[in-house]
């Protein structure tokens, strides 16, 4: 059974930093699409960062240069380092993973429960 558990959310002032973690069990990262998403109240869920099957990382334009997506395979953990946070980054953040290896379309099937990030001005 695959489980993804996020942690590290919290409340910070604008300009601050947070590092989110996503611990995976029953799952290994190699050759799967991985992603971090967020959803703010009244808004659609958006992907903020992703790793494709070739290990390439991509970012939403709104976070590029401020967020860094990394992974530590030995600990089966994903990270999202978030720097220079702004109030618009306030949202519930989720990690997600594909259930099919080598999936070029990156269909995200596994989801964590989310961790809340609140940025005050």
């Amino acid at each position: 059974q695959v489980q993804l558990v996020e942690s590290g959310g919290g409340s910070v002032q604008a300009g601050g930093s947070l590092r989110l973690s996503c611990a995976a069990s029953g799952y290994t990262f190699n050759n799967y699409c991985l992603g971090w998403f967020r959803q703010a109240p009244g808004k659609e869920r958006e992907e903020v960062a992703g790793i494709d099957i070739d290990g390439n990382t991509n970012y939403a334009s709104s976070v590029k240069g401020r967020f860094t997506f990394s992974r530590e395979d030995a600990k089966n953990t994903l990270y999202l380092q978030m720097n220079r946070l702004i109030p618009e980054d306030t949202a519930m953040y989720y990690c997600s993973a594909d259930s099919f290896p080598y999936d070029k379309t990156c269909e995200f099937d596994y989801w964590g429960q989310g961790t809340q990030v609140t940025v005050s001005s």
Side-chain angles (χ1 to χ4, degrees):
Q1 183 180 358
V2 176
Q3 276 194 318
L4 302 175
V5 179
E6 301 96 336
S7 61
S11 297
V12 295
Q13 288 192 325
S17 298
L18 284 173
R19 188 176 80 156
L20 306 184
S21 300
C22 173
S25 58
Y27 189 88
T28 56
F29 298 142
N30 286 338
N31 305 312
Y32 290 87
C33 292
L34 307 165
W36 281 98
F37 293 76
R38 69 185 180 187
Q39 188 166 22
K43 293 189 177 181
E44 292 188 357
R45 184 177 61 200
E46 64 170 335
E47 183 177 4
V48 295
I51 294 177
D52 64 21
I53 59 173
D54 297 318
N56 301 309
T57 308
N58 54 82
Y59 299 92
S61 58
S62 58
V63 307
K64 200 168 187 177
R66 301 187 296 121
F67 289 13
T68 303
F69 186 359
S70 61
R71 55 192 268 187
E72 189 170 359
D73 290 356
K75 292 186 176 182
N76 238 26
T77 301
L78 305 175
Y79 301 100
L80 185 67
Q81 178 67 44
M82 307 186 296
N83 298 327
R84 303 199 308 276
L85 285 160
I86 60 178
E88 289 76 15
D89 294 321
T90 296
M92 186 71 80
Y93 283 73
Y94 302 88
C95 63
S96 185
D98 199 333
S99 62
F100 293 98
Y102 309 106
D103 182 4
K104 293 186 178 181
T105 63
C106 289
E107 300 290 337
F108 290 95
D109 308 298
Y110 299 125
W111 295 87
Q113 83 290 349
T115 186
Q116 178 67 38
V117 172
T118 303
V119 184
S120 58
S121 57

